[in-house]
Amino acid sequence: MAAGERTLILAEGFSADRHYGKTMHGLLRYRPEDVVAILDSARIGEHEAGVPIVGDVDTALAFDPQVALVGVATQGGRFPPAWRALLRTCIERGLAIENGLHEMLADDPELRPLADRVGVELRDLRRPPAGLDCATGANLEVDARIVLTVGSDCAIGKMTVSLELDRAAQARGIASVFVPTGQTGIAIAGWGMAVDAVVADFLAGAAEQLVVEGRRRGGELLFVEGQGSLVHPAYSGVTLGLFHGSVPHALVLCHRAGSTEIEGSPGHPIPPLTDLVELHEHASLPRRQARVVAVAVNTAGLDDADADAAIAEAAAATGLPACDPVRDGADTLLDAVLESSS
């Protein structure tokens, strides 16, 4: 999504869901100036973060959007069947579509010819670039401090923590860069690579390219957006490939307060935070052994007293600095990152 591009967020059926609507919520938090309307027929007339919610594309046209961004992250990355008509209407009305799901719209036998006739772009954020290969060792030559967010589960705020750290660092005049590795991060930053769509053999190589590019963009401190979880029964593979390819010096462990089981995977427990710290430090490459330097606690939904208690519990259990960067700011985490490099 280009800076200044007037954006309609497509969130049909998901705008009230912070889990499946995480792309929408990410854009509203980090690029609100570009969002002109949200489409969700279940919430017509409401507002989300001050942005009007409409029920159909034609109503949205009154806000003069230029692009329709798919604002949801569905299980398996597939479009709900009812969305095809919605996408078709967007194209017919002359809107480019920015899509972060695994279905590639530019390859669609119906929508691609329609887009070509109308003259609009279909941008698939999860399409890997050509020419990917295995890691070469260039990642270890990057002249920057690399910090990776890791987590006890998926969709608990690893991207948000990376972005908040980047904001805090830049506020101090530090030359930091947020390195996007997923569709929402790409939509926010305008560059990056969705590593979960990369062939497994080339995943570490893709992560290497990302940290090299982050340094090329001027980053002396790189905050790499984490993906998945090493203890997730479905998505641990992408986590490990990203971990090894980005060769972080430091890790920030992210955890949702009160969570004891992997969401959507009954019977798969989340280990204690102390075990997670040990697991991640042992899983790092012997050539560059990363250390967990802080814990980011997602306290969404808790009152202040319960949030403070959850943060204190995480700090006491691990012996590490802890905070919720959304609730309290990221300075505690950033201080720990900076102190770890001294």
Side-chain angles (χ1 to χ4, degrees):
M1 203 169 81
E5 198 167 31
R6 296 176 62 82
T7 302
L8 165 66
I9 296 180
L10 304 179
E12 179 63 20
F14 293 97
S15 68
D17 189 324
R18 296 200 71 87
H19 182 86
Y20 292 113
K22 65 180 184 179
T23 300
M24 180 195 85
H25 289 285
L27 264 290
L28 290 175
R29 180 171 179 84
Y30 295 106
R31 288 189 63 176
E33 67 279 3
D34 293 333
V35 180
V36 297
I38 297 164
L39 191 152
D40 186 351
S41 62
R43 298 181 60 196
I44 296 172
E46 296 182 34
H47 289 74
E48 186 72 44
V51 178
I53 300 176
V54 300
D56 56 72
V57 176
D58 287 334
T59 303
L61 294 179
F63 298 94
D64 197 26
Q66 298 166 292
V67 60
L69 180 131
V70 176
V72 303
T74 60
Q75 184 125 22
R78 303 291 177 185
F79 283 103
W83 274 58
R84 289 198 63 83
L86 174 60
L87 297 171
R88 193 182 309 114
T89 302
C90 287
I91 295 169
E92 289 171 345
R93 300 299 187 270
L95 299 179
I97 296 180
E98 193 150 300
N99 162 45
L101 299 189
H102 281 294
E103 284 189 70
M104 300 295 171
L105 295 184
D107 297 337
D108 188 278
E110 176 193 3
L111 298 180
R112 177 58 185 266
L114 176 60
D116 289 344
R117 286 197 303 273
V118 176
V120 299
E121 288 184 280
L122 299 178
R123 309 169 191 162
D124 292 311
L125 300 182
R126 265 195 167 116
R127 186 182 298 277
L132 289 177
D133 207 335
C134 300
T136 65
N139 45 9
L140 291 163
E141 303 302 320
V142 171
D143 182 22
R145 184 80 173 167
I146 302 171
V147 181
L148 173 68
T149 49
V150 295
S152 60
D153 199 352
C154 296
I156 57 171
K158 294 179 291 292
M159 180 198 73
T160 298
V161 173
S162 297
L163 283 162
E164 292 297 326
L165 279 164
D166 183 47
R167 274 184 169 182
Q170 292 192 21
R172 298 191 195 184
I174 298 170
S176 67
V177 166
F178 165 69
V179 179
T181 64
Q183 74 276 13
T184 304
I186 295 169
I188 291 167
W191 73 284
M193 196 186 313
V195 294
D196 66 357
V198 171
V199 172
D201 277 356
F202 302 150
L203 210 163
E208 176 181 77
Q209 285 192 18
L210 286 167
V211 294
V212 169
E213 175 63 15
R215 180 66 183 101
R216 191 194 69 78
R217 288 172 176 262
E220 297 174 5
L221 180 57
L222 305 181
F223 294 110
V224 181
E225 173 192 3
Q227 296 293 332
S229 171
L230 286 182
V231 296
H232 198 288
Y235 303 127
S236 57
V238 67
T239 308
L240 188 60
L242 175 60
F243 190 173
H244 286 175
S246 63
V247 291
H249 299 87
L251 308 170
V252 174
L253 176 63
C254 306
H255 177 66
R256 186 188 304 279
S259 294
T260 59
E261 189 173 79
I262 299 295
E263 185 173 356
S265 298
H268 288 271
I270 294 175
L273 292 180
T274 49
D275 291 358
L276 289 171
V277 169
E278 184 177 357
L279 172 66
H280 284 89
E281 293 184 346
H282 282 306
S284 60
L285 284 176
R287 175 76 182 273
R288 179 175 289 168
Q289 294 187 327
R291 191 160 63 87
V292 177
V293 300
V295 181
V297 184
N298 183 337
T299 64
L302 301 183
D303 61 27
D304 288 344
D306 287 343
D308 289 345
I311 292 166
E313 181 180 355
T318 62
L320 295 169
C323 77
D324 181 338
V326 173
R327 188 183 289 261
D328 302 318
D331 284 328
T332 296
L333 304 181
L334 180 60
D335 287 342
V337 166
L338 297 177
E339 289 168 10
S340 72
S341 63
S342 58

